Amino acid sequence: APAPAAALAISSQVVDMSGKCETEAARTNALQVDDPESNFERCPGAGAIPAWKMQQDLHYITYGFGREPNTSGPTNFSDSDGPPASVNAEWRGVTRDGRFVPFAVIMRLPDPEKEDRPQAARDNPLYVFRLTEDGKSCVVDKIAPGPDQQAAALRSADRMAGPGAAPACPPEPEGD
């Protein structure tokens, strides 16, 4: 039987994705049918799992994580005229047979619900993504800024360690 989550040695790997993503030609070509200024990129990840970035209309960026191309995070506006921001993803995982095996990702992103977005990174929420069995990701938590924000995000992510861990991803909306 697998070890309970409390017995697993959970650790982090922080990956800076700034300027390190490569265009996925087939996905980008599919997007560009609707928007010639869009692209889909594969970015550095952790373990054998990449990160994904979709940029539409040069300004709207969405991230996702997993073996399969996906974007599940909030869509954020990016002022592409300014300097590129550092984009760090904190991957939470366990080491099995000498390999880092991630189960969650924590990423600080601007809150798309707020019009006047904070300038300081610490004033933005932390989003917790669950890596799913089907090789994709979903957002399971949004941690508001505050003195306990990082610790709360770690607790949220670490609840996903081990088989049958909670919280589950919300169900996909049914198609027409």
Side-chain angles (χ1 to χ4, degrees):
L8 298 174
I10 299 171
S11 63
S12 289
Q13 286 188 3
V14 177
V15 176
D16 179 4
M17 300 185 301
S18 320
K20 298 176 183 150
C21 301
E22 297 177 8
T23 299
E24 283 280 306
R27 299 256 172 211
T28 293
N29 290 340
L31 280 173
Q32 289 179 342
V33 169
D34 295 325
D35 181 359
E37 295 179 331
S38 295
N39 65 0
F40 198 87
E41 300 175 346
R42 181 184 178 109
C43 305
I49 301 176
W52 302 94
K53 173 184 165 186
M54 183 172 65
Q55 186 166 345
Q56 293 180 292
D57 187 25
L58 296 180
H59 292 285
Y60 296 93
I61 298 174
T62 308
Y63 292 93
F65 306 90
R67 295 182 314 275
E68 298 295 323
N70 73 96
T71 54
S72 55
T75 299
N76 288 284
F77 183 79
S78 169
D79 182 1
S80 62
D81 298 331
S86 173
V87 181
N88 291 327
E90 180 175 359
W91 295 72
R92 296 292 285 167
V94 295
T95 300
R96 289 195 182 112
D97 300 323
R99 278 190 11 220
F100 183 73
V101 181
F103 54 79
V105 179
I106 301 168
M107 193 168 186
R108 185 178 303 281
L109 296 166
D111 189 340
E113 307 287 321
K114 298 191 184 234
E115 279 192 36
D116 52 334
R117 304 218 170 103
Q119 295 299 312
R122 70 181 176 281
D123 295 331
N124 286 314
L126 287 171
Y127 289 86
V128 180
F129 293 77
R130 179 186 182 95
L131 301 177
T132 62
E133 294 292 321
D134 65 357
K136 297 183 181 179
S137 65
C138 66
V139 174
V140 293
D141 210 351
K142 174 181 167 184
I143 311 296
D148 190 40
Q149 184 186 34
Q150 183 65 29
L154 292 171
R155 283 191 303 274
S156 177
D158 293 353
R159 291 186 320 199
M160 291 175 263
C169 290
E172 291 282 328
E174 291 189 28
D176 297 339

